[in-house]
Amino acid sequence: MRYAHRRSDDGDLRSRLREIALERRRFGYRRLGIMLAREGIVMNHKKLLRLYREENLRVRRRRGRKRAMGTRAPMAHPQGPNQRWSLDFVSDTLVCSRRIRILAVVDDFTRENLALVVDTSLSGARVARELDAIIAVRGRPLMIVSDNGTELTSLAILRWAQDRQIEWHYIAPGKPQQNGYIESFNGRLRDECLNETLFASLSHARSVLSNWRNDYNHVRPHSGIGGLTPADAAKRVVQTHPPGHPGSPGLYL
């Protein structure tokens, strides 16, 4: 005489939720919900939270030093501009000891430095706005590669990548060599600019980095592209693949 509920056990949904949670170990149920929504699986947030708890997928608090966990699928080398961008943050200080952060964005094929954004704080929403500004000039990338920093795994970035249909690849924790293009660029930036300059103010830092970026793109030869400058490498691609060609770099010239 007792009522027997007829609710489905959501076996397939639970299985997919576990798969994504295993790959994204530091994602909570909200971010997992966004990942599911990208696959067309949309549900009430209360149901998502219930399944998340029943599957015991809560994010464990980390204690002690960082350890590399898990693996990521290998990436193919880019074959043209705008196929893959890499980005990362670099830190420095002003003469008054105030800390500043620098967002660096690089095109992995041409080695162009697409942006050096300097500020005392750079949130995920700010990163999304700066990427929109780059896209307005040179077009949309197929993929963006970054580490698992809090700004780059924020809801603002996840929603931005979903809305613009851009694949965002996170490297494995503790494996900066998986993002070698931006790490190499960061080394040049640190060695040739940051370690050579004392920044008196935020505006001074922006001016110096803007000049250095122009020199890096248009004057400094790059050994990885046969001694050409990144701008020259981009021009060669335009000459080889005119606008409208599948390998065309877009609208950035």
Side-chain angles (χ1 to χ4, degrees):
M1 300 297 292
R2 295 180 181 273
Y3 172 76
H5 73 80
R6 301 176 182 176
R7 185 170 59 194
S8 169
D9 63 355
D10 297 307
D12 294 340
L13 176 57
R14 291 173 185 268
S15 176
R16 185 58 186 147
L17 183 61
R18 286 194 302 269
E19 289 175 2
I20 298 177
L22 182 62
E23 181 183 357
R24 310 284 186 180
R25 292 187 176 95
R26 307 309 297 174
F27 280 17
Y29 81 95
R30 293 185 180 87
R31 290 193 180 92
L32 292 176
I34 292 176
M35 302 295 288
L36 288 172
R38 291 180 181 177
E39 302 176 4
I41 306 174
V42 182
M43 74 192 79
N44 184 287
H45 73 279
K46 290 184 287 186
K47 177 179 179 179
L48 175 62
L49 178 58
R50 174 174 60 81
L51 297 178
Y52 178 82
R53 287 174 172 171
E54 290 175 358
E55 295 299 320
N56 195 28
L57 299 175
R58 66 182 182 276
V59 178
R60 272 71 174 178
R61 292 186 62 185
R62 283 181 175 166
R63 299 184 182 276
R65 66 182 181 86
K66 289 184 179 179
R67 291 177 175 83
M69 298 175 63
T71 59
R72 299 295 187 273
M75 297 179 296
H77 290 289
Q79 301 300 313
N82 281 3
Q83 288 192 3
R84 191 171 75 211
W85 295 356
S86 297
L87 57 85
D88 198 7
F89 291 100
V90 183
S91 297
D92 204 68
T93 55
L94 305 177
V95 292
C96 63
S97 298
R98 188 173 188 182
R99 199 162 189 80
I100 60 174
R101 302 193 75 197
I102 305 164
L103 171 66
V105 185
V106 171
D107 186 303
D108 290 354
F109 182 77
T110 64
R111 309 299 204 275
E112 291 172 280
N113 175 218
L114 308 182
L116 284 176
V117 183
V118 189
D119 215 324
T120 54
S121 176
L122 293 168
S123 65
R126 173 72 181 280
V127 172
R129 291 198 301 272
E130 296 296 340
L131 290 174
D132 277 334
I134 301 173
I135 289 173
V137 175
R138 65 176 287 133
R140 187 179 62 181
L142 298 179
M143 175 189 289
I144 295 178
V145 185
S146 76
D147 60 22
N148 293 266
T150 55
E151 301 88 351
L152 304 178
T153 56
S154 66
L155 289 174
I157 288 297
L158 290 174
R159 289 191 179 115
W160 180 88
Q162 179 181 2
D163 292 343
R164 282 140 187 87
Q165 298 181 345
I166 295 174
E167 181 181 358
W168 198 293
H169 180 93
Y170 293 103
I171 65 173
K175 298 288 185 180
Q177 63 270 26
Q178 293 182 2
N179 203 6
Y181 291 103
I182 195 67
E183 293 296 334
S184 175
F185 174 81
N186 289 346
R188 304 286 75 74
L189 173 63
R190 177 75 64 186
D191 182 54
E192 299 176 12
C193 182
L194 301 185
N195 289 347
E196 297 292 316
T197 311
L198 290 175
F199 298 122
S201 63
L202 193 59
S203 60
H204 179 222
R206 287 170 176 162
S207 175
V208 170
L209 286 167
S210 176
N211 292 335
W212 186 86
R213 174 176 173 261
N214 182 70
D215 180 82
Y216 180 90
N217 284 337
H218 298 277
V219 179
R220 181 187 183 278
H222 199 298
S223 59
I225 47 179
L228 298 173
T229 67
D232 288 338
K235 288 178 181 177
R236 285 197 173 189
V237 174
V238 172
Q239 294 169 358
T240 306
H241 303 294
H245 188 279
S248 175
L251 305 173
Y252 63 94
L253 291 179

